[in-house]
Amino acid sequence: MLLQAPPTLPQTAPKGVFITGTDTGIGKTLTSAILTKSWQGTYWKPFQTGLAEEAGDTPTIGHLTGLSADHILPPTYALQAPLSPAAASALEGVTLEPEHITLPQTTHSPLIVEGAGGLMVPLTDNMLMIDLIARLGLPVILVTRSGLGTLNHTLLSLEALYQRGIPVLGFITNGPESPENSQTLEKLGQCRALHHIPLLPGTPGPDDISQIAAQIPSWDSLW
């Protein structure tokens, strides 16, 4: 039996989108930078972990997009350990209250919200990332690898989203080009391919982001 019918997308452009992925390190931050640059939107990552090892995704987005500081919002929770928010907060004695998180007011639309890890990453003992997505009420853009393994991981992720009634704007593939996989995902996942991000040599920089951002469909054209 194929996936259940996806939830209907809103008729008019919502306040923003939630960027999630089929795995950790799948390219969510790269994708978020490209979309924020293309749509001149506002970036927000509610949960940031791993700050003991790196500066975090928020300053990275600022550097890659070159947008002014008012396009970049600070995390609601900033944690040190490179673990899930639930595990990192337990180590640091921080109480997370994701059920109280609301969408921030912004002057630059749309809002690009980036999750931490994949859909089933625990935020607390009784709340997963996918629960936060459902609560915030934004449609999802799913970031997935383009090559081997993507069919299983992407279809499982789409099914989990559909079962919770979360609309999906589309998916973005990342890596070596594989149009056959994208076509299969569109057909079986009942979900459109929004863009393909090619394999970039070296560490992506602002010029790479600008070039790819220029190829992204406009925000208003997607609704």
Side-chain angles (χ1 to χ4, degrees), residues 71-160:
H71 285 265
I72 315 294
L73 302 179
T76 303
Y77 295 102
L79 302 162
Q80 299 302 307
L83 302 169
S84 71
S89 62
L91 280 178
E92 296 171 38
V94 175
T95 299
L96 302 184
E97 298 180 316
E99 67 277 7
H100 294 155
I101 289 179
T102 58
L103 293 174
Q105 298 299 314
T106 67
T107 55
H108 304 287
S109 295
L111 182 64
I112 313 300
V113 184
E114 182 185 351
L119 293 169
M120 297 300 172
V121 166
L123 302 177
T124 66
D125 289 342
N126 55 15
M127 191 170 184
L128 304 172
M129 184 61 69
I130 196 170
D131 300 318
L132 176 66
I133 296 173
R135 189 179 181 284
L136 292 179
L138 298 178
V140 159
I141 291 178
L142 183 64
V143 182
T144 184
R145 63 175 52 86
S146 56
L148 187 65
T150 193
L151 300 182
N152 180 60
H153 293 159
T154 304
L155 292 175
L156 283 172
S157 296
L158 289 172
E159 183 164 51

